[in-house]
């Protein structure tokens, strides 16, 4: 889907849900459970379920892969690109709970270094990026410490949960969930929270954002609920004609 189409976006999410029921133990179990079919799954319930969230044909193998919750580098690249006016090649330094060995976010995309907030001993690769004025992506509580630790002089992108967005104005920001990863960012062009619609389908219902990862199979993430905060609906940005998260009631 090169140009956004609402019906095709919804079809893509339905296709993930159908495939999840056919191929992925977690969703098959829920179908057997009383009345659970179709109900969104709270993100918080996913933490220890990696084996069940992978297709039967390509199971999670802890001996070879310690976790699959490290996120998708390309999603971070897309969120950062959405959230600011910096160049596509601007390096990215990201605060993370654990180390990853990535040095680039996409094959031709920005250079990358992780920084682990609790472990200053691992700051070397991130500090080495400082002269290139990287974008620092971090939760608000870590920004001051990391800026000082890394001598950071580039832009800062705040990493927020959807429920933390209320009243957020001004600074560049992206939306993040520990299991879904980066799924939206605030555009400096229109000021709206744009969904990364090529990778995620989102609806808003009952105080939750219900998110489907359209491209990931391991883990398969279909209709995952995260607290919506003030977000009440998904509509098209009038300027960009792609989906945005809105807090005002439907007109
Ligand atoms: Zn827009």
């Amino acid at each position: 889907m090169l140009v956004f189409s609402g019906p095709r976006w919804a079809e893509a999410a339905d296709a993930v849900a159908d495939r999840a029921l056919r191929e992925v133990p977690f969703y098959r179990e829920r179908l057997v459970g009383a009345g659970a079919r179709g109900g969104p799954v709270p993100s918080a319930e996913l933490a220890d379920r990696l084996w069940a969230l992978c297709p039967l044909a390509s199971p999670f193998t802890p001996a070879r892969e310690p976790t699959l919750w490290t996120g998708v580098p390309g999603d971070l690249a897309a969120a950062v690109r959405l959230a600011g006016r910096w160049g596509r090649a601007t390096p990215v330094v990201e605060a993370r709970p654990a180390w990853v060995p990535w040095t680039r976010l996409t094959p031709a995309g920005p250079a990358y270094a992780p920084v682990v907030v609790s472990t200053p001993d691992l700051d070397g690769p991130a500090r080495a990026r400082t002269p290139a004025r990287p974008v620092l992506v971090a939760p608000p509580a870590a920004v001051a410490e990391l800026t000082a630790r890394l001598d950071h002089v580039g832009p800062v992108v705040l990493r927020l949960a959807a429920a933390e967005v209320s009243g957020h104005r001004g600074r560049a920001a992206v939306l993040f969930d520990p299991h879904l990863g980066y799924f939206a960012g605030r555009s400096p062009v229109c000021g709206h929270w744009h969904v990364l619609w090529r990778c995620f389908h989102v609806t808003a219902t009952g105080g939750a954002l219900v998110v489907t990862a359209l491209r990931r199979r391991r883990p398969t993430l279909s209709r995952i609920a995260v607290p919506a905060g003030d977000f009440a609906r998904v509509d098209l940005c009038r300027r960009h004609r792609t989906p945005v998260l809105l807090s005002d009631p439907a007109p």
Side-chain angles (χ1 to χ4, degrees):
M1 195 172 11
L2 292 173
V3 177
F4 179 76
S5 152
R8 282 163 66 194
W9 195 43
E11 281 169 19
D14 288 346
V16 173
D18 289 346
R19 181 171 52 73
L21 285 178
R22 286 196 310 274
E23 299 179 357
V24 184
F26 182 86
Y27 301 95
R28 297 171 69 99
E29 288 168 17
R30 285 177 60 82
L31 181 59
V32 174
R37 185 176 186 186
V41 184
S43 174
E45 290 183 14
L46 301 179
D48 300 320
R49 306 300 312 275
L50 268 179
W51 184 85
L53 286 162
C54 287
L56 289 164
S58 54
F60 173 56
T61 49
R64 281 195 290 121
E65 42 191 6
T67 179
L68 297 177
W69 294 129
T70 44
V72 178
D75 291 354
L76 171 58
V80 167
R81 197 159 63 233
L82 178 61
R85 298 173 191 268
W86 36 78
R88 284 175 167 245
T90 305
V92 174
V93 170
E94 181 200 26
R96 305 183 60 97
W99 182 259
V100 285
W102 312 339
T103 57
R104 197 162 281 286
L105 290 180
T106 62
Y112 172 88
V115 58
V116 181
V117 180
S118 61
T119 315
D121 289 353
L122 299 175
D123 283 356
R127 288 184 61 89
R129 301 281 180 209
T130 296
R133 299 178 63 88
V135 176
L136 172 65
V137 181
V143 168
E145 178 185 339
L146 291 179
T147 299
R149 247 167 64 182
L150 304 174
D151 295 324
H152 179 75
V153 289
V156 173
V157 173
L158 298 181
R159 181 176 73 205
L160 303 173
E164 294 176 318
V165 164
S166 177
H168 174 79
R169 298 280 183 279
R171 259 183 138 164
V174 291
L175 293 191
F176 177 85
D177 171 81
H179 298 115
L180 292 160
Y182 295 91
F183 65 94
R186 185 169 174 275
S187 165
V189 178
C190 61
H192 283 130
W193 291 92
H194 271 266
V195 176
L196 300 181
W197 61 269
R198 288 183 174 85
C199 300
F200 296 95
H201 178 273
V202 183
T203 57
T205 179
L209 297 178
V210 179
V211 185
T212 294
L214 299 174
R215 294 183 174 181
R216 296 188 75 177
R217 294 198 169 207
R218 306 180 71 255
T220 294
L221 301 172
S222 173
R223 297 178 52 73
I224 307 303
V226 300
D230 284 353
F231 291 124
R233 65 191 178 96
V234 179
D235 206 338
L236 292 188
C237 174
R238 287 186 186 163
R239 177 163 180 161
H240 293 104
R241 309 306 299 169
T242 52
V244 290
L245 306 172
L246 297 172
S247 53
D248 55 329

